[in-house]
Amino acid sequence: MTEPAVPEPPMGLLAELTYRCPLACAYCSNPIEIAAYRDELDTADWQRVVTEAAELGVLQLHLSGGEPLLRRDLADIVATASGLGLYTNLVTSALGLNEKRAAELHDAGLDHVQVSLQADEPTLSDRIAGTPSFERKIAAARTVRDLGWPLTLNVVLHRQNIDRVDRVLAAAEDLGADRIELANTQYYGWAWHNRTALLPSREQLAQAEVTVRAAKERLRGQMEIIYVVPDYYATYPKPCMGGWGARQLVVVPTGDAMPCLAAHELPLPRANVRDGSLRWIWEDSPMFSAFRGTDWMPDPCRSCERRDVDLGGCRCQAFALTGDATRTDPVCHLSPDHHLVESAVEAANADRAGETVSLPLVARPHA
């Protein structure tokens, strides 16, 4: 019997240092049961994980959460990664990124900062974030530029802010951002509970795409604009994280390692860095091997000429919509479960003309 091939090393590690956060965003993809993640890895644990990641072949370390700035040892973790030659990226709400903290992280070797924005102006931004934060975010973004870091802005788009994408882009241009990610909401965690209030209409998407295309042309060579099309309106699904266990791995605050952000919801054996090496987890654990490659696929994926392109789509989305992680992602128009997505899209477009900000949101609790 042929031994399974050893997978290529991952390019990136997303270290979710804590799920504590000063914001209460209704589209948050963090787990609903945040209390179950209070037993966080300590400094030495994270330094070991980062070291094992470098030995495995990881090139990029993304430090996220929750809010990673709530970890007092953040600079120590950054310094360890920098000393190992990893490219370090802080993914932050920017609350807490004052001049003193920013200088500390700069001295530790941090390479890049990604700041989240919820909208282009205080009232809407603060309502979506669940706390007054807009002005502090803008000030922090300017601090990032003053220290010479590359600045990426991340804006999660949804029904309640997508009509302002032109003004969001103008705000990014004013801040001198090098890059902006306009990412339509992924419906996991709290976003799943708020899908009705967040899923945009076809009309909103069409207008946003016209605006983004024009901005890309106008700002070519000045600011990179990444626009992520919403899954529910796509003909084919996107490959999850570039393929399950193919390019990226995630380690959550309690040490569970996963191929993607929402895999904690799947009925798979856990793989924890407290119990095994990162190399074993990546190469051999059931968590990472479950949907790696194409052998696991049922039809229509198994016989589809796109099976090596979209790799069956998102396992977590399939599970959320059907209760079965092995099903073809219902986003795919060939999926036998595509009607589940069609129903959600129809609801988002039914008798809601012009409605953008009036639907209530269930906010993620402050933690």
Side-chain angles (χ1 to χ4, degrees), residues 276-303:
S277 71
L278 208 60
R279 180 175 297 279
W280 177 84
I281 289 170
W282 175 258
E283 294 181 354
D284 299 309
S285 71
M287 169 62 80
F288 277 79
S289 59
F291 302 113
R292 186 175 267 150
T294 60
D295 289 347
W296 62 271
M297 291 180 178
D299 278 325
C301 293
R302 180 181 291 274
S303 56

Side-chain angles (χ1 to χ4, degrees), residues 16 19 27-34 36-37 186-194 232 240 244 250 252 254 256-271 287 290-291 314-326:
E16 299 201 304
Y19 284 146
Y27 56 76
C28 183
S29 61
N30 286 169
I32 299 295
E33 300 297 333
I34 295 175
Y37 295 85
Q186 299 290 311
Y187 295 101
Y188 314 117
W190 292 97
W192 175 257
H193 286 268
N194 286 292
Y232 279 40
C240 178
W244 184 275
V250 179
V252 307
T254 52
D256 281 346
M258 307 181 299
C260 72
L261 294 168
H264 58 84
E265 297 181 358
L266 304 185
L268 292 172
R270 292 291 180 258
M287 169 62 80
F291 302 113
C314 178
R315 299 301 86 224
C316 301
Q317 191 157 254
F319 183 75
L321 287 164
T322 73
D324 183 352
T326 69

